[in-house]
Amino acid sequence: MNIETAATQLEALGNPTRLRIYRVLVRAGVDGLAVGHLQDRIGIAASTLSHHLHRLIATGLVSQERQATTLICRANYSAMNGLLGFLSDECCADANSRARDDAA
């Protein structure tokens, strides 16, 4: 993952409403949730939900699929794992190099 993608996804999740939506979808699992059920769980207006979902979809964190007359929203677990990996892959890398420098 590049830094621009990570920054865009983190910016999208920096909004409290979008973060709540995303957490509900992550908890829902691979089956996702119908937009109506998501709206009920979050308790916001349909237009507001649509606005926030659009942003999460645009960043690749959420996908939407139409099943007959129902829109199903799902967290994109691959994108989530990529973002988490980006944040944690180099954890303490500089601390380890400092320890080697101090030992030399």
Side-chain angles (χ1 to χ4, degrees), residues 7-19 55-56 61:
T8 300
Q9 290 177 340
L10 289 169
E11 181 182 17
L13 293 173
N15 176 280
T17 302
R18 283 193 291 270
L19 184 57
R55 183 69 187 275
L56 292 169
L61 291 167

Side-chain angles (χ1 to χ4, degrees), residues 19-42:
L19 184 57
R20 284 183 56 217
I21 292 166
Y22 191 67
R23 290 184 70 196
V24 168
L25 291 174
V26 166
R27 290 178 56 97
V30 295
D31 291 337
L33 283 175
V35 170
H37 289 127
L38 182 57
Q39 182 184 2
D40 291 342
R41 289 201 186 171
I42 301 294

Side-chain angles (χ1 to χ4, degrees), residues 45-104:
S47 60
T48 303
L49 177 59
S50 177
H51 165 78
H52 288 298
L53 279 173
H54 176 73
R55 183 69 187 275
L56 292 169
I57 291 166
T59 61
L61 291 167
V62 170
S63 66
Q64 244 180 12
E65 175 188 356
R66 181 167 294 283
Q67 293 180 357
T69 60
T70 304
L71 275 176
I72 304 296
C73 298
R74 292 182 182 90
N76 179 342
Y77 293 101
S78 177
M80 178 184 74
N81 290 331
L83 181 58
L84 292 173
F86 176 82
L87 293 172
S88 65
D89 279 348
E90 296 185 37
C91 179
C92 305
D94 290 341
N96 292 335
S97 66
R98 264 195 322 267
R100 284 191 301 271
D101 290 345
D102 291 344

